[in-house]
Amino acid sequence: MTCPIDHTGPAPLTLDPFVADLDAESAALRAAGPLARVVLPGGVAVYAVTHHAEARKLLTDPRVVKDINVWGAWQRGEIPLDWPLIGLANPGRSMLTVDGDEHRRLRTLVAQALTARRVEKLRAGIEALTASSLDRLEALADDGTVDLKAHFAYPLPMNVISELMGVDAAEHPRLKALFEKFFSTQTLPEEVPQMMADLGALFSRIVESKRANPRDDLTSALIAASEDGDRLSTAEITNTLQLMVAAGHETTISLIVNAVVALETHPEQRALVLKGEVPWENVVEETLRWSTPTSHVLIRFATEDIEVGDRVLPKGEGLIVSFGALGRDEAQHGEDAGEFDITRTPNRHIAFGHGPHVCPGAALSRLEALVALPALYARFPDLTLAVAREELRNKPVLTQNDLYDLPVRLRG
């Protein structure tokens, strides 16, 4: 299955489904100009915005929408339901996939539940979960190498988002298996429909359980939330729950993992923060810019021809936002944009998006990282990578800057 490609411009870049070298790919995208033609895994041709300034403009341009029915390739039946990335392109009706008044309606109802006060209430729980995770790591410390992702970076955000949304911990193994397939570029086409059905059934069951027995969690709050008597539909609640759980743990896992990798491969930067000369907030923001957790975001669509620099995003074409490329745009961040520097100021990145669809969970992700990272290094100040940086393996995930594992030695 392939989509027609406009050959009037430079040859399109094919994004590596195995994500072997994300840095090199991001550099190639930036070099291709602010609007690059790319081919996604499965042969689907779209455009990518790769420069910061142009991304900010497009992310606030009302002519760029989330309605998949605008996509010419979708209208022509060129995107099959067994495409491995279909769940990212067409995740169902939620605040992620609508625009204008409908987006404001859904986002307002979500915001009523996901307030700054509710996020701050989670701090004590995040601190307790962090401490218990560190205790488990302590027990493993004498065994040499430990996978920091599996034993620390993964369970913390998964437990936090589950507590927030009211998802029982017993569901975690099943969720992990399903989300592995959901995000992977290597999921077999014949497995995609069943995987999507299983995810939908799991989250539908959670919603119905909360409807019958509401608790102090965001899913129950979404069910109860209303604006001028207008309630979220069951499908909207279910899709929002799935969106929040997926984004709420994957992004934070990558943020924690990428921060550790960046510090361990930049010892002079690590020394600054451990001496207290630079705050942990700087580490988090520089990691978000330099090694952004979200490499590409699928997908928006042009309702008419839109000029982007000296190129044109044609009407009916799909657009992805390449955050991995944006974060190292020299026009925005200076000639040293390719360097990891926790003293960088100002650091005006858009790693959590920009405009109406900016990530509503940004504050929570930052809070988790700002609790987890200082606590990790306070407990294990001599932590080191157990393998060379070149040996760390990227997962075949187009949307996340993610590793299979993070082997470390806790005692150096």
Side-chain angles (χ1 to χ4, degrees):
M1 177 273 299
T2 58
C3 295
I5 299 174
D6 174 13
H7 291 286
T8 59
L13 295 170
T14 298
L15 299 188
D16 179 10
F18 297 101
V19 196
D21 191 342
L22 181 59
D23 287 349
E25 185 171 86
S26 294
L29 285 167
R30 284 193 304 278
L35 187 70
R37 291 187 301 135
V38 299
V39 179
L40 303 177
V44 176
V46 297
Y47 285 77
V49 58
T50 64
H51 291 189
H52 181 100
E54 286 77 10
R56 284 177 61 94
K57 291 177 183 177
L58 286 173
L59 289 172
T60 55
D61 192 321
R63 297 171 296 175
V64 179
V65 301
K66 288 297 197 81
D67 183 0
I68 196 171
N69 294 302
V70 172
W71 195 9
W74 181 261
Q75 294 172 352
R76 295 188 295 269
E78 296 165 359
I79 310 298
L81 296 180
D82 62 359
W83 182 39
L85 301 179
I86 190 65
L88 296 165
N90 190 30
R93 181 181 174 80
S94 73
M95 63 181 180
L96 181 68
T97 57
V98 295
D99 301 281
D101 290 342
E102 280 297 280
H103 175 257
R104 285 186 286 274
R105 166 184 166 264
L106 294 176
R107 191 176 179 100
T108 296
L109 290 169
V110 170
Q112 288 176 357
L114 188 61
T115 62
R117 179 173 173 270
R118 183 180 287 272
V119 169
E120 186 57 33
K121 279 178 62 178
L122 292 172
R123 179 182 290 272
I126 294 170
E127 291 172 345
L129 287 167
T130 299
S132 62
S133 293
L134 291 173
D135 289 342
R136 287 191 292 273
L137 282 177
E138 187 83 51
L140 298 169
D142 295 332
D143 294 337
T145 300
V146 60
D147 181 358
L148 192 69
K149 179 181 176 181
H151 296 288
F152 184 69
Y154 174 80
L156 175 62
M158 185 50 123
N159 279 298
V160 169
I161 197 65
S162 293
E163 179 182 336
L164 176 68
M165 303 303 300
V167 176
D168 194 286
E171 305 284 8
H172 290 181
R174 181 62 173 152
L175 281 172
K176 187 174 188 298
L178 287 172
F179 278 134
E180 288 278 349
K181 290 187 175 183
F182 180 83
F183 285 106
S184 177
T185 62
Q186 300 305 297
T187 300
L188 297 175
E190 57 266 29
E191 296 177 350
V192 171
Q194 188 61 54
M195 175 268 292
M196 294 295 293
D198 289 347
L199 271 172
L202 190 155
F203 284 108
S204 293
R205 176 164 49 80
I206 295 172
V207 169
E208 289 311 306
S209 174
K210 294 299 175 183
R211 195 183 299 279
N213 298 287
R215 296 287 187 270
D216 183 21
D217 56 62
L218 183 48
T219 302
S220 299
L222 287 173
I223 294 170
S226 62
E227 181 183 44
D228 299 326
D230 184 18
R231 295 185 179 275
L232 289 163
S233 70
T234 298
E236 289 167 341
I237 294 169
T238 303
N239 293 335
T240 299
L241 172 60
Q242 179 172 327
L243 165 67
M244 295 295 289
V245 172
H249 80 283
E250 286 287 344
T251 299
T252 309
I253 292 168
S254 296
L255 174 54
I256 294 171
V257 165
N258 295 349
V260 171
V261 172
L263 290 175
E264 294 309 310
T265 53
H266 296 81
E268 74 291 348
Q269 304 284 309
R270 182 181 185 274
L272 288 175
V273 71
L274 294 189
K275 290 176 183 176
E277 296 178 14
V278 177
W280 280 101
E281 286 83 356
N282 288 35
V283 176
V284 170
E285 296 309 314
E286 182 66 348
T287 301
L288 287 167
R289 179 199 72 83
W290 185 77
S291 188
T292 179
T294 305
S295 45
H296 306 281
V297 167
L298 277 61
I299 189 167
R300 291 166 166 82
F301 313 99
T303 59
E304 59 183 79
D305 289 355
I306 302 171
E307 292 186 5
V308 183
D310 61 353
R311 300 295 307 281
V312 172
L313 174 62
K315 177 181 179 179
E317 289 294 329
L319 176 75
I320 67 172
V321 183
S322 294
F323 286 101
L326 303 181
R328 301 192 189 183
D329 182 359
E330 292 185 0
Q332 171 66 16
H333 301 291
E335 293 182 358
D336 65 344
E339 302 297 322
F340 179 74
D341 181 6
I342 61 175
T343 67
R344 185 181 305 277
T345 182
N347 193 348
R348 299 194 180 99
H349 62 77
I350 54 172
F352 284 112
H354 179 66
H357 286 279
V358 66
C359 176
L364 178 59
S365 186
R366 284 185 166 103
L367 175 60
E368 291 178 64
L370 286 171
V371 170
L373 291 168
L376 173 66
Y377 278 95
R379 183 78 70 96
F380 304 109
D382 298 321
L383 181 150
T384 60
L385 295 183
V387 298
R389 174 66 183 91
E390 295 73 24
E391 295 180 47
L392 296 174
R393 302 169 301 150
N394 292 335
K395 292 183 70 174
V397 177
L398 187 74
T399 54
Q400 296 298 124
N401 182 6
D402 197 8
L403 298 175
Y404 276 105
D405 52 16
L406 182 58
V408 301
R409 287 186 291 270
L410 299 173
R411 302 300 188 195

